[in-house]
Amino acid sequence: MADQEFDVIVIGSGPGGYVCAIRAAQLGLKTACVEYEQSLGGTCLNVGCIPSKALLQSSEHYAHTLHDLAKHGVKAEKVSLDLPTMLGRKDEVVKGLTQGIAGLFKKNKVTWLKGRGSFVDATTVKVTAADGSATTYKTKHAVIATGSKPIEIPPAKFDRKLIISSTGALKLPEVPKHLIVIGGGVIGLEMGSVWLRLGAKVTVIEAMSTILPGLDSDLTKGLLKILQREGMNFHLDTKLTATSTGKDSVTATCVKPDGSTLEIKGDRMLVAVGRRANTEGLGLENLGLSLEAGGKVPVDSHLRTSVANVWGIGDVIKGPMLAHKAEDEGIAVAERIAGQAGHVNYEAIPWVVYTWPELASVGISEDAAKQQGLNVKVGKFPFLANGRAKALGNTDGFVKIVADAKTDRIVGAHILGPNASELIAELAVAVEFGASAEDIARSTHAHPTLAECVKEAALGVDKRSIHI
Ligand code: NAI
């Protein structure tokens, strides 16, 4: 096969694209991945999951040192913030991981085609480099993994100084005095938490009547109360209608359902009202592909577009915009291209929001179960009654398990509390394996661990929790 010919070309190197490329190469396919940014890894590694988690961790250390260490008998005097070091550490974390992907590409013999990929036709991909030079490559299969970008809304166009997206919120050079956050979704709450902990006043404007719409309402109500206690301000049922900016100020004009208006003045505004698929300039028209409602690339249940050798994965197609969903789709597509039966179980994809405490969820919520007319039993156990949580000093929240009333099969599990992001893995496996609450209840969980709350919630489905 000539150098310019591949079995698979993946366009985009985010968690969907790079994982797909590595899996395809593992399966013996000659694979290339097209990426125009200077580093691999897409939004997740460069300006999303990883840098935000680095800042969440650092800001948590800062807030913990200021407010909590004294309770443990540890006196820390003259604590101060070194923001440049904090931001520098975040950049180092990103650098290490993105270089790691370049290393994995080398090891697996995946070719990085540097430039913007677009379709000439179904078997020809053009890669246009930063200097404008273009090269075309032939491929048997192509995978669209171009991800998404922040939605820009007319009342608050990004100026990248006062009005910023999630990318800007990762590199503010100073702690804002008052950060206005538009959108009480995942990004708004995570990045709002970072700057709140570092000393900013934070006000969240959310159009719906709840934060994190769509997640189990027990969890979201619980998290709202805790964030309010920590000092985050919320205006729910409030929609941004206009923004005005001064030299170093920004004012949000908002409307409430009763028609009354509200003005909030701050010095920075983070707009986090969702993301939209990246499809511009891909040449989809050359494939005869048109986008579905919401601007996403249409695919069938095997993640194949209507063009037989062109596939789609991750944020650019339907479903939740989550890195791990994209990764699993990438693996499934690579395996399908190789003639295997790759598959993603969308019922068992966990959600995690990295606030403090963390919120994690898998399967359906109790509210959704009721709306669907499912007869369910619910077991709930608070961290307050768990020995390890007490020892840690982190007793906020609970584990909630929703099981089918007749079969006892776990249909959903929801955690608000310390290490929820790690605890949910057990329950995601339970949903994947079709486990019953009784299966979890009868599995030995080490003592003392936070995971005992999972077991106790499972016991609670049958009203036989021990420690409450
Ligand atoms: P989101 O969809 O999570 O939340 C956006 C929020 O903005 C919604 O609650 C919506 O009701 C509200 N909203 C929309 N228009 C508004 C207006 N004009 N005024 C006030 N509120 C308004 O979107 P977000 O936070 O931007 O995140 C985008 C995507 O990134 C999400 O779909 C998420 O899956 C992904 N993500 C996931 C993370 C994780 O898994 N931990 C972390 C960060 C992002």
Side-chain angles (χ1 to χ4, degrees):
M1 196 184 280
D3 280 358
Q4 309 290 86
E5 283 179 37
F6 292 92
D7 292 318
V8 184
I9 292 183
V10 182
I11 306 181
S13 76
Y18 86 75
V19 168
C20 180
I22 290 173
R23 184 71 188 120
Q26 280 179 347
L27 291 164
L29 299 165
K30 188 179 174 199
T31 306
C33 182
V34 190
E35 175 60 65
Y36 63 86
E37 293 285 358
Q38 295 302 311
S39 60
L40 298 167
T43 299
C44 171
L45 273 87
N46 290 282
V47 288
C49 324
I50 297 301
S52 63
K53 262 80 265 175
L55 286 184
L56 278 156
Q57 189 64 50
S58 298
S59 61
E60 204 171 294
H61 283 316
Y62 178 65
H64 189 59
T65 309
L66 279 182
H67 309 299
D68 296 322
L69 282 188
K71 288 179 220 152
H72 292 261
V74 180
K75 280 191 181 170
E77 282 160 11
K78 294 192 187 150
V79 178
S80 62
L81 175 66
D82 176 358
L83 187 58
T85 298
M86 196 178 278
L87 296 178
R89 175 189 173 275
K90 170 216 44 161
D91 294 339
E92 283 304 310
V93 171
V94 168
K95 198 167 140 198
L97 287 168
T98 53
Q99 287 177 348
I101 298 174
L104 289 173
F105 272 11
K106 275 208 182 98
K107 185 182 152 212
N108 288 283
K109 300 193 173 46
V110 173
T111 306
W112 176 2
L113 302 174
K114 295 184 182 175
R116 276 185 191 270
S118 62
F119 288 97
V120 176
D121 58 44
T123 56
T124 314
V125 172
K126 181 166 83 174
V127 178
T128 308
D131 64 6
S133 61
T135 313
T136 52
Y137 299 89
K138 293 303 281 183
T139 189
K140 291 187 186 137
H141 292 267
V143 183
I144 306 170
T146 46
S148 63
K149 61 175 167 215
I151 291 178
E152 188 166 42
I153 48 173
K157 294 262 183 200
F158 299 125
D159 64 12
R160 289 179 180 78
K161 182 175 175 262
L162 300 171
I163 305 175
I164 55 176
S165 68
S166 50
T167 305
L170 291 167
K171 54 183 183 193
L172 287 175
E174 290 163 15
V175 179
K177 286 183 215 50
H178 185 185
L179 176 67
I180 302 171
V181 177
I182 310 300
V186 194
I187 294 177
L189 297 184
E190 290 186 0
M191 292 316 299
S193 295
V194 165
W195 295 105
L196 178 78
R197 292 170 192 166
L198 297 182
K201 176 179 175 185
V202 174
T203 302
V204 178
I205 316 271
E206 167 55 53
M208 308 289 277
S209 58
T210 170
I211 56 169
L212 300 168
L215 288 173
D216 189 278
S217 61
D218 252 358
L219 291 193
T220 57
K221 279 183 198 152
L223 180 63
L224 178 66
K225 265 194 204 146
I226 295 168
L227 291 174
Q228 282 171 325
R229 185 188 72 200
E230 299 302 310
M232 203 178 271
N233 302 297
F234 288 90
H235 293 281
L236 302 180
D237 274 326
T238 306
K239 204 167 173 201
L240 179 80
T241 52
T243 306
S244 60
T245 54
K247 189 168 168 287
D248 210 21
S249 71
V250 51
T251 304
T253 305
C254 309
V255 63
K256 303 282 250 177
D258 63 5
S260 60
T261 57
L262 180 73
E263 284 211 338
I264 300 165
K265 191 171 178 186
D267 55 344
R268 292 290 180 276
M269 177 187 279
L270 163 62
V271 183
V273 294
R275 301 178 61 87
R276 70 181 170 84
N278 274 332
T279 52
E280 294 97 328
L282 264 177
L284 295 182
E285 62 285 357
N286 299 332
L287 303 177
L289 279 183
S290 45
L291 300 176
E292 61 188 18
K296 298 207 167 195
V297 173
V299 290
D300 65 14
S301 59
H302 291 165
L303 306 168
R304 200 191 280 263
T305 67
S306 54
V307 182
N309 69 320
V310 179
W311 309 71
I313 58 172
D315 287 9
V316 83
I317 64 161
K318 64 191 169 192
M321 291 182 164
L322 297 170
H324 44 281
K325 174 251 190 195
E327 284 184 36
D328 286 352
E329 288 178 338
I331 288 173
V333 161
E335 292 179 349
R336 286 203 166 266
I337 290 173
Q340 299 184 358
H343 171 72
V344 180
N345 178 3
Y346 291 96
E347 310 294 314
I349 294 182
W351 272 87
V352 177
V353 185
Y354 296 83
T355 44
W356 186 262
E358 292 175 344
L359 183 154
S361 195
V362 64
I364 60 173
S365 65
E366 187 182 357
D367 319 82
K370 283 186 181 147
Q371 276 162 17
Q372 290 171 26
L374 290 179
N375 191 7
V376 291
K377 300 180 288 184
V378 173
K380 206 169 157 184
F381 191 82
F383 285 99
L384 193 61
N386 172 269
R388 185 70 189 280
K390 284 241 184 216
L392 286 168
N394 295 320
T395 52
D396 281 328
F398 54 87
V399 177
K400 176 173 172 181
I401 293 180
V402 184
D404 184 288
K406 200 164 158 214
T407 64
D408 196 38
R409 183 181 168 145
I410 297 174
V411 293
H414 312 281
I415 308 177
L416 176 67
N419 294 8
S421 58
E422 306 291 341
L423 295 173
I424 201 69
E426 174 184 3
L427 291 159
V429 173
V431 173
E432 176 73 38
F433 284 12
S436 62
E438 189 68 17
D439 289 327
I440 300 289
R442 291 210 175 263
S443 305
T444 304
H445 288 65
H447 175 76
T449 58
L450 297 170
E452 286 172 286
C453 287
V454 172
K455 178 184 170 116
E456 289 273 15
L459 284 165
V461 169
D462 193 35
K463 304 280 172 274
R464 53 181 224 271
S465 300
I466 299 292
H467 292 93
I468 197 151

